[in-house]
Amino acid sequence: MVELSSLDVILIVTFFVITLFIGIYVSKQSGKSAAEYFLSGRNMPWWLLGVSMVATTFSTDTPNLVTDIVRTNGVSGNWVWWAFLLTGLLTVFVYAKLWRKSQVSTDIEFYELRYGGAPARFLRGFRAIYLGIIFNILAMSAVTLAAIKIGAIMLGLQPWETVIYAGTITVIFSALGGFKGVVYTDFILFFTAMAGAVGAAYYLVGLPEVGGLEAMLQHKNVVDKLNILPDFSNTEALITLLIIPLAVQWWSSWYPGAEPGGGGYIAQRMLAAKDENHAIGATFFFNIMHYALRPWPWIIVALASLVVFPDIASIHDAFPLVAEDKLGHDLAYSAMLTKLPSGLLGLVLASLVAAYMSTISTHLNWGASYIVNDFYKQQINKDASEKQLVAVGRTATVILMVCSALLALVLTNALQLFDIILMFGAGTGLIFILRWFWWRINAWSEISAMFVSGIVSILLNFTDLGAYFFGTEGLFPAWAKFPMIVLVTTLVWVAVTLLTQAESKTVLQNFYKRIQPGGPGWEKIISEAREENIELVDTKEGWSVPSGILAMLVGCALIYSVMFATGYIIYGDYTNALMLIGVAIIFAWVLIKLWKKIKVTIL
């Protein structure tokens, strides 16, 4: 526990006042209609949306999660989420413009644009509850759990106290300000959070017990954790940490903020953009910041923590009041922050509050948008007025906050939920990628994938649990579970697709007219329409997907080069860093050329 100075308190209180003021200031305009409350009238610029995406994905559990990964598996362990860059850039260069052209209010509404009949209505309503409530509460509870651990370590707060203090202000400005309030406050939250993370990393490396950057990198507890790539001689680590994420995970798994083909709160921001070009710009800015630059301050603190707190026992010795069921490697980040001086401590605490509020407010608004647009308006009150829809949205916001807070009080580790959510989404991602470009995919494809993925995940975890209790070996090694779920789920949904009836001609033709996805997967529908003297293809638009995929690959090379170069600069390996910077410049030049081509095709 640390003692806050007057300066620390002033910084934190000032931050709270500013965010509440913004929520109250925009509340009147946000309350005019559901479109204003959830999408801010679809007129947001790319830079504001991009910053909002970055701020949203920097939650209180993110530095804790990265710390847990680094202390357990080393820096290379981060490939479990670094691999999602491929998903992110596929969204940037292929799917961002498609989402913006769809003109739907939520990505769940897409189901009744792409599919038809009762299966589409069921899918929309079920996914609204499944994602908007169940998965959303799981994600928010992980963020709140991190806040609880920070509050316990740094301020000596009981779990319920952290939930009350942090949650109340967040839910007030989220319910009042709607999406516009979330995005505006995200702009402030982003810079506060980044300043706090960088400032903390710089100061903590200089602690006497750490001895500076060079001493830290040579410390016996740190030296074997530094590799950015896994040890190629360790087959299991190589498969688990690199091969599966890069070869399978990025395209096959659904995860909030990294959905194949875009979705969730990322789709919400693309749908709120001024036009397709602003949607592309926002998502590209987000991916650069999220993968190439932002993780390194957290990684530095995680490495420093191995010197100061080499194991969980040392954390427990330093903070004996922390409940044993909350102990874990993820606590090391909060433990390190207790060593910050006055002023910087206040800034870092404000930055962590900012991270918490940004993520929770986004999830609240996003989840409420599903409940209002895709469940309440569709299943309960089709004739609801705009004021009623906003009222339901605000009520749903409060309920989601309460439920996630209660769940957080019984959780112990954020990595638990990361693995659960990842497993439950395994095998569904390929549908989200292909449904835009293959006419044969139907609502039953998604329904079957969703249920099979969940059932197989439960069965595999159940058999592992039984093996644990009875002292026997599990059916599969740990690294094989994820690919097994992907394989079974994919085989089932492909079979279901081919065995069930395709969507109606009218649904498919209307979808193509609005979206203009192009490609060989729609040739049959286009040919049949021409036989009926119906022209679906807008001749002013070319098919930009091949250029988009090439841009995705070049963009990945660019961002990974910058990410590696940043790491090598920190490690003092300036030769490799300069070489990678040169490589990054070349890829940036190529990407600019490709970007112009893609941009021209969508004007």
Side-chain angles (χ1 to χ4, degrees), residues 54-75:
V54 182
T56 291
T57 50
F58 177 5
S59 57
T60 43
D61 67 323
T62 313
N64 287 20
L65 177 64
V66 170
T67 300
D68 199 342
I69 289 171
V70 171
R71 288 173 63 91
T72 305
N73 295 315
V75 174

Side-chain angles (χ1 to χ4, degrees), residues 430-445:
L430 193 58
I431 293 181
F432 302 143
I433 290 174
L434 294 180
R435 64 188 180 181
W436 299 84
F437 299 108
W438 186 25
W439 69 274
R440 192 62 182 80
I441 288 178
N442 58 35
W444 292 110
S445 309

Side-chain angles (χ1 to χ4, degrees), residues 192-258:
T192 305
M194 285 304 299
V198 173
Y202 181 81
Y203 180 84
L204 293 173
V205 165
L207 288 173
E209 51 263 61
V210 177
L213 185 60
E214 186 175 346
M216 181 191 78
L217 296 174
Q218 295 174 359
H219 194 278
K220 62 179 182 178
N221 295 346
V222 175
V223 71
D224 63 341
K225 303 286 186 180
L226 296 176
N227 289 337
I228 302 176
L229 290 172
D231 182 1
F232 280 56
S233 64
N234 185 336
T235 304
E236 184 172 347
L238 185 65
I239 292 172
T240 305
L241 300 178
L242 188 66
I243 294 176
I244 289 176
L246 284 178
V248 181
Q249 183 177 294
W250 73 270
W251 58 262
S252 64
S253 183
W254 181 95
Y255 188 80

Side-chain angles (χ1 to χ4, degrees), residues 451-472:
F451 282 104
V452 170
S453 176
I455 291 169
V456 175
S457 297
I458 291 171
L459 289 176
L460 285 180
N461 283 289
F462 180 77
T463 56
D464 281 355
L465 188 63
Y468 173 79
F469 281 114
F470 292 105
T472 60

Side-chain angles (χ1 to χ4, degrees), residues 58-323:
F58 177 5
S59 57
T60 43
D61 67 323
T62 313
N64 287 20
L65 177 64
V66 170
T67 300
D68 199 342
I69 289 171
V70 171
R71 288 173 63 91
T72 305
N73 295 315
V75 174
S76 62
N78 286 287
W79 281 102
V80 72
W81 65 274
W82 280 342
F84 282 123
L85 173 64
L86 282 80
T87 307
L89 291 191
L90 192 64
T91 299
V92 171
F93 295 113
V94 175
Y95 294 99
K97 70 167 187 173
L98 301 178
W99 277 113
R100 187 60 185 82
K101 287 164 69 174
S102 72
Q103 290 292 309
V104 294
S105 296
T106 67
D107 59 314
I108 300 293
E109 186 183 330
F110 171 86
Y111 290 122
E112 289 198 81
L113 173 64
R114 175 61 177 83
Y115 312 125
R121 289 192 295 275
F122 166 78
L123 191 57
R124 182 178 180 183
F126 183 83
R127 292 284 280 186
I129 301 301
Y130 181 65
L131 297 180
I133 296 180
I134 299 173
F135 265 55
N136 202 21
I137 287 174
L138 286 175
M140 287 192 293
S141 63
V143 176
T144 303
L145 172 63
I148 287 172
K149 292 190 174 189
I150 291 169
I153 288 286
M154 300 194 68
L155 302 174
L157 297 176
Q158 293 297 315
W160 67 267
E161 291 179 297
T162 301
V163 166
I164 293 295
Y165 301 151
T168 301
I169 293 177
T170 304
V171 78
I172 289 173
F173 94 78
S174 300
L176 288 176
F179 183 73
K180 183 171 286 186
V182 170
V183 173
Y184 283 3
T185 52
D186 276 350
F187 191 76
I188 298 170
L189 301 177
F190 167 73
F191 291 104
T192 305
M194 285 304 299
V198 173
Y202 181 81
Y203 180 84
L204 293 173
V205 165
L207 288 173
E209 51 263 61
V210 177
L213 185 60
E214 186 175 346
M216 181 191 78
L217 296 174
Q218 295 174 359
H219 194 278
K220 62 179 182 178
N221 295 346
V222 175
V223 71
D224 63 341
K225 303 286 186 180
L226 296 176
N227 289 337
I228 302 176
L229 290 172
D231 182 1
F232 280 56
S233 64
N234 185 336
T235 304
E236 184 172 347
L238 185 65
I239 292 172
T240 305
L241 300 178
L242 188 66
I243 294 176
I244 289 176
L246 284 178
V248 181
Q249 183 177 294
W250 73 270
W251 58 262
S252 64
S253 183
W254 181 95
Y255 188 80
E259 301 87 347
Y265 51 77
I266 299 297
Q268 184 185 31
R269 279 152 179 74
M270 292 188 285
L271 292 168
K274 288 182 178 181
D275 54 37
E276 295 109 76
N277 286 325
H278 280 270
I280 292 174
T283 47
F284 186 62
F285 175 82
F286 158 65
N287 279 279
I288 292 175
M289 293 300 300
H290 183 58
Y291 293 99
L293 301 175
R294 191 174 58 181
W296 285 108
W298 306 329
I299 291 172
I300 291 171
V301 174
L303 293 172
S305 75
L306 287 165
V307 179
V308 182
F309 303 104
D311 51 32
I312 295 176
S314 61
I315 299 174
H316 192 205
D317 290 342
F319 304 95
L321 297 180
V322 176

